[in-house]
Every structure is written in C-alpha cells, then in structure tokens.
Amino acid sequence: IADLPAPFDVALETIVDELTSRGDLVGVLFFGSAARGEAGPGSDLDLYAITSQDARGHLGRSIAGVPVEVSFGSVVQMTAQVRQEVPTVVHAFASGHLRIDRPDGALLALCREARSMWERGPSPPSASALLGFRFHLTDVARDLERMPENSAATALAASECVRIALDALCATATV
C-alpha cells in the first residue's frame, strides 16, 4: 500500500495488530477507498478478518480518529461468497490488499480468482434465474393491482417491483 496517509496508517496498523491476537485469524484483507489510495476526510478503513472457524459479524470503532469497519467471515464463507459472485465481496478481494495470508497462500489465490472474475464481469443468468425474475415480478405486480391506492403497502409493493426489475436488468446487462 503506497504511503497510507496519517492517521489512516496508525489506525490500520493498530487494528491489524489487535486482530492478530485472535487465535482463529488466518487473514486480513484491507479494501475500500483508503486501500485504493483515495482516502478523503470522510473515509474509513474497511477490512475483512478471515478466520478458520465460522465467524460472522462486524466491528465498528474509531482508532486515531478514523472510523474502522471490520467484517468477520471464515475462509469457507468468504470463498463461497466470491464463487457465488457476490459483487461487493468479489470487488473487495479483487481490489484489496492482503495484510495477512495463510501460510499456503490460499487467500492470495482467492484474490487472484476474484480479480479474474471482476475483469471478466458477471456470469450470465441461467434460464431458471430469468424465469424466477419474471415470475416474481408478475406475482408482485398482480398483488399491486389489488391494493388500495396511496397506501403504505402499495408503495412498498411498487418499490419491490422496481427492485426486481432492476435486479433483472443488472443480471442481464452487458458492458
């Protein structure tokens, strides 16, 4: 990481040192705007603490005046999320920096896999996924037709239709 500015450098070293005290820690991935060298006054530090055991949760705190966000996940969980092409996780592993890796280099390999996926773009949706979008949108639209105008439930159903349509559009769009 090229010259992380103060106080981000102090915050990063402090949180990495604290995380290494966990007995189940096998890796730390630093990602986000600060990791890309784009830290501004409102930036935080984003990290994945990767463990050998099932671990889920988040830690948020301030170190040296810098907001620090740590998300916990096991190697199995993080690998599954990359391979399921969860966009935020793929991007984090594709653009992030490993601060700690397993001795076998498995997390570095996962970062390389994520970079390849990110450069390739998302896999096209399956025929069953496309049908799922269609049926789900049709069901919610039919429900919407039977709802009273100007109700909170109607607004919620309408926003759900938009969300499903946008999910379908994003899943089928090519760049």
Side-chain angles (χ1 to χ4, degrees):
I1 303 162
D3 299 322
L4 191 61
F8 293 96
D9 57 347
V10 171
L12 180 61
E13 291 310 315
T14 301
I15 193 65
V16 170
D17 286 347
E18 289 177 14
L19 290 170
T20 57
S21 69
R22 287 180 62 110
D24 62 343
L25 186 79
V26 295
V28 174
L29 180 73
F30 174 42
F31 64 96
S33 61
R36 292 189 306 270
E38 302 167 358
S43 294
D44 64 354
L45 295 183
D46 299 299
L47 298 107
Y48 281 133
I50 304 153
T51 61
S52 58
Q53 306 291 323
D54 184 32
R56 295 172 196 199
H58 300 278
L59 167 69
R61 60 182 266 224
S62 179
I63 300 174
V66 177
V68 176
E69 300 283 334
V70 181
S71 296
F72 293 88
S74 72
V75 174
V76 171
Q77 292 163 327
M78 301 310 290
T79 300
Q81 289 185 21
V82 167
R83 294 192 177 147
Q84 291 166 4
E85 298 185 17
V86 175
T88 53
V89 178
V90 171
H91 185 254
F93 275 85
S95 64
H97 301 277
L98 281 173
R99 299 296 296 190
I100 297 172
D101 191 4
R102 292 172 22 157
D104 65 3
L107 299 176
L108 180 59
L110 188 58
C111 287
R112 288 183 181 133
E113 183 179 340
R115 270 187 217 104
S116 175
M117 294 170 102
W118 190 256
E119 289 167 3
R120 181 187 73 236
S123 299
S126 67
S128 65
L130 292 174
L131 279 174
F133 286 126
R134 178 179 166 200
F135 292 139
H136 190 191
L137 183 58
T138 301
D139 286 345
V140 176
R142 285 186 181 144
D143 291 344
L144 187 58
E145 289 174 343
R146 294 187 293 271
M147 294 180 161
E149 289 185 29
N150 301 322
S151 73
T154 302
L156 186 61
S159 68
E160 180 67 1
C161 283
V162 171
R163 186 196 63 76
I164 296 165
L166 286 173
D167 283 350
L169 177 65
C170 290
T172 59
T174 57
V175 180

